[in-house]
Every structure is written in C-alpha cells, then in structure tokens.
C-alpha cells in the first residue's frame, strides 16, 4: 500500500512540474487512460470545426473554386512542410498523400531504379510490419530483384556489391525497439546502396534527423503520434539532391510537370511534387492540417524527454506493483533503443487487454502474447501512467 501511495504522490509532483501538461487541453479526452496513440492518436480539439468549414463552406459554397481559393491544390506540399520539422527535414522534401503502403512501394521501387547496374538484391527488415514485407516482395518481382529478409542488426554484415536498396523500420511495432537510424543509414551508404525508412512509429514521438543523417527516402503515417485521424494520408520524404532522379512507379497526373496540359506523354514535375499520384483526399488532408496545429510551440526534443520519463515511470510502477513472473518487458531498457511504447509479454494477453479496456485503461494486444502501451506525451500524464500500472496489477492478480 505504501508503494502505491508513494508512486501516486510522485506522479502528481511530476505532472505539476511537466512543461507539456497544458497541451492535454488541445485534445478531446475523457477519464479513460488512453495508451493506444501508437495505433490511433486522440482527436485534436480544433479538428471538428475545421472539417465543418471544409465541408460546409469550402466544398458547400465555394465548390470547385476551393482548389485555388482554399489552397486545396497545394495542400500536399504545404502540409508536408508542416510535418518536415517534426522529422528533421527542411522544406520542399515531403509530400503528403496516399497510404503508407503506397508510399513504401513508390519509395522502394524508386530506390531500386536509382541503384547502379548489377545491384540485384533488396534487403528488407525481417521484423517489419507485415505490409512492408508484402510490398517489398512485390517491388522485388516488379524490378527483377531478389529479396532478402534480415534483422536490422544483421544489415551491416548483409550489405554488399549486390545490394540495391534496404527497407527498414525505425521502431519495431511489436516491441518498441528503436533501431539506430544514423549508423544503419551510414552503413547502407558505405555499401553504395539506398535506404528507405518507415517512420510510422517514430514520427511525432522522437527526433528523427532525416536531413542530418542523409536519409535517402522515408515514409510515415500521420494517424498515430501525429493525430491526423483514422486513415489520414501518409507522407513521403525524398532527399532534395535525389528528387530529380526519383522515378515513381506510379506516375499520375498530379505529379506531371504540366498537370492540366493533359499530355499523352508523362513528364515528371520537379521537387517533392514528383511523389504525388492522383487527386488528393482533401477532407482527410485538411483534417490532418488542423491536427498538426497542436504542435505549435512544441519541440520534438521536449516530447522525447517526456516520453522517456513516462516509459521509465511506467516500467518502474509495473515492477513495483505486478508480482514477479506475471509480465516480462520486451521493450529495451536503454533509452537509445526505446521508442515511445512499452510492450509486456504475459499469459492470456488478449483477455488481459480486454479487461484493462473495460476498466478504463486502453492499450492493445499483439498476438500471441504481447500487451502494447503507447505513450503520447502531448496528452498522457504521469498520473495516467501510475493508474495504468495499478489497474494492470489488479487485473493480473
């Protein structure tokens, strides 16, 4: 009992000293402890009114005029520039649109097409989210390359003269392990290959440093830590000096140098626009733009510091509250190897998560035995963390 009281008191002190605590008011939340932002971020409070304006005024009144007067046509690049600082990129290198899967396909095929003649192998993260593996296999068939699954740790030794491109996840979606983007990028470049990073579980949760580390291409979703809403469009990063060589396997009229010229022959536009395909999904795109306003005045570095503090505190509370042997953390303890989630292995994890949700602690379950808890520092506090650990202990007992 004393441990519970001490941890609860410490949580209150930490929340009182938290410089980001006031950001919680920028979201629509209730008394549920929401630790599933690594699957779907909470609703930013400013989104409903913005969507209403887009539907009722921009679409309902201005109609076709909104492509110009409301800035619909330039939204993919404008919103890309809004995301850019959150992943360490300068302007003009990110375009928003399509799904993560589509952008992975575009990026990986383009990377292979840029590779030197004779490079006939693609390396793919063997621990990746399944869709990335499916896309990589299709890209290999389409480009006549062989596909070789390896773990991120095996990448340096697997690289060679045959390597054309490497597709890697920045954070493992099951365990929350953070892979070494700077070192792995440098290793791929030293081998003369190109790297594509999947940032779905790191964008908006921690500093990425795309420009700083010379990443070639990257993709990421916007409905997790960027809180863009269910199915919100993904983003594609193409490093500036590679843009004139970016050969998309999905050329569309939106990426044409003269989109309204209706030319029978394709001529790619310059810059990040080459990553576009067809007509943008305006409703979701502009909802995302409104959602990104919660980042005004917020640094990713401050978010990362709080994320580590939250996950440290959660692991400590779990260690103090949960009897030995009932759960095992599969998330690395080292800060340099941890994303913004904690994954706990336990027996009957699916049923345990159902009971947690019934008691107001929302995480998610990954087969066969993993409880996942995602920590979004913009709206999760230390009292939330303490409560989640306490309810988990009570549920397991």
């Amino acid at each position: 009992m004393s441990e519970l009281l001490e941890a609860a008191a410490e949580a209150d002190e930490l929340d009182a000293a938290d410089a980001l605590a006031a950001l919680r008011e920028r979201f629509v939340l209730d008394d549920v402890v929401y630790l599933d932002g690594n699957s779907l971020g909470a609703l930013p409070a400013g989104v409903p009114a913005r969507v209403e304006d887009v539907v009722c005024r921009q679409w309902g009144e201005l109609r076709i005029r909104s492509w110009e007067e409301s800035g619909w046509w330039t939204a993919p690049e404008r919103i890309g520039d809004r995301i850019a600082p959150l992943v360490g990129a300068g302007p003009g290198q990110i375009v928003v649109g399509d799904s993560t899967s589509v952008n992975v396909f575009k990026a990986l095929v383009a990377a292979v097409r840029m590779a030197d003649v004779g490079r006939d192998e693609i390396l793919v993260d063997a621990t990746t989210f399944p869709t990335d593996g499916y896309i990589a296999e299709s890209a290999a068939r389409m480009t006549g390359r062989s596909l070789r699954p390896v773990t991120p740790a095996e990448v340096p030794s697997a690289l060679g003269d045959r390597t054309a491109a490497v597709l890697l996840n920045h954070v493992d979606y099951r365990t929350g392990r953070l892979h070494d983007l700077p070192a792995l990028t440098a290793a791929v470049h030293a081998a003369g290959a190109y790297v594509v990073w999947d940032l779905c579980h790191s964008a908006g949760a921690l500093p990425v440093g795309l420009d700083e580390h010379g990443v070639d291409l990257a993709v990421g979703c916007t409905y997790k830590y960027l809180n863009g809403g269910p199915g919100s469009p993904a983003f594609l990063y193409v490093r500036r000096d590679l843009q004139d060589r970016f050969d998309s396997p999905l050329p569309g009229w939106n990426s044409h140098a003269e989109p309204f010229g209706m030319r029978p022959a394709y001529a790619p536009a310059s810059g990040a626009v080459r990553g576009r395909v067809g007509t943008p999904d305006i409703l979701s795109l502009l909802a995302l733009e409104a959602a990104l306003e919660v980042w005004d005045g917020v640094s990713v570095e401050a978010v990362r510091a709080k994320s580590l503090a939250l996950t440290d505190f959660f692991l400590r509370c779990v260690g103090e509250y949960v009897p030995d042997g009932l759960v095992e953390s599969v998330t690395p303890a080292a800060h340099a190897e941890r994303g913004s989630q904690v994954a706990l292995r336990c027996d009957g994890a699916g049923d345990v998560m159902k009971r947690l949700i019934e008691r107001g602690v929302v995480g998610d379950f990954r087969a066969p035995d993993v409880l996942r808890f995602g920590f979004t520092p913009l709206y999760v506090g230390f009292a939330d963390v303490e409560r989640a650990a306490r309810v988990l202990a009570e549920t397991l007992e």
Side-chain angles (χ1 to χ4, degrees), residues 331-361:
T331 300
H335 286 182
E337 299 175 6
R338 187 194 311 164
S340 198
Q341 73 178 54
V342 171
L344 302 176
R345 180 175 288 128
C346 76
D347 292 337
D351 289 336
V352 170
M353 183 53 69
K354 289 179 182 178
R355 296 202 300 274
L356 287 174
I357 292 172
E358 289 170 357
R359 297 191 58 185
V361 175

Side-chain angles (χ1 to χ4, degrees), residues 76-307:
E77 294 76 51
R78 181 178 72 245
I79 300 170
D81 284 347
R82 184 68 181 82
I83 291 172
L86 304 180
V87 291
Q93 298 176 98
I94 293 180
V95 65
V96 181
D98 304 314
S99 67
T100 303
S101 300
V102 171
N103 283 320
V104 167
F105 180 73
K106 288 187 283 187
L108 188 56
V109 172
V112 171
R113 288 176 172 177
M114 287 189 288
D116 292 339
V117 175
R119 292 183 174 269
D120 61 357
E121 185 175 74
I122 299 171
L123 301 184
V124 64
D125 183 349
T127 64
T128 192
F129 189 77
T131 289
D132 284 17
Y134 308 155
I135 294 294
E137 196 277 331
S138 178
R141 282 190 286 110
M142 177 179 174
T143 59
R145 266 65 174 185
S146 61
L147 184 67
R148 184 179 173 193
V150 295
T151 67
E154 294 170 334
V155 166
S157 61
L159 291 164
D161 293 341
R162 293 182 54 198
T163 310
V166 183
L167 173 60
L168 293 167
N169 273 4
H170 197 190
V171 174
D172 188 297
Y173 78 101
R174 286 166 300 215
T175 67
R177 175 178 290 277
L178 172 64
H179 298 301
D180 192 341
L181 180 147
L184 288 169
T185 298
V188 173
H189 288 169
Y194 293 91
V195 65
V196 179
W197 282 97
D198 183 329
L199 309 178
C200 284
H201 287 269
S202 59
L206 53 91
V208 178
L210 292 178
D211 286 352
E212 177 185 357
H213 303 302
V215 169
D216 302 311
L217 302 129
V219 302
C221 70
T222 62
Y223 49 79
K224 293 181 171 65
Y225 296 107
L226 297 180
N227 310 294
S232 57
F235 64 88
L236 169 66
Y237 165 89
V238 182
R239 200 177 71 216
R240 193 178 312 280
D241 62 307
L242 297 178
Q243 290 176 356
D244 62 349
R245 298 172 56 205
F246 182 83
D247 183 6
S248 174
L250 296 173
W253 76 286
N254 262 230
S255 62
H256 197 284
E258 193 180 353
F260 292 97
M262 303 303 168
R263 309 294 184 193
Y266 180 72
S270 59
V273 177
R274 284 194 181 200
R276 293 173 65 154
V277 183
T279 305
D281 185 344
I282 291 298
L283 299 183
S284 292
L285 198 57
L286 299 188
L288 168 62
E289 184 173 36
L292 291 170
E293 291 177 1
V294 302
W295 286 91
D296 290 347
V298 180
S299 74
V300 178
E301 290 73 19
V303 167
R304 174 59 169 167
K306 183 178 176 182
S307 165

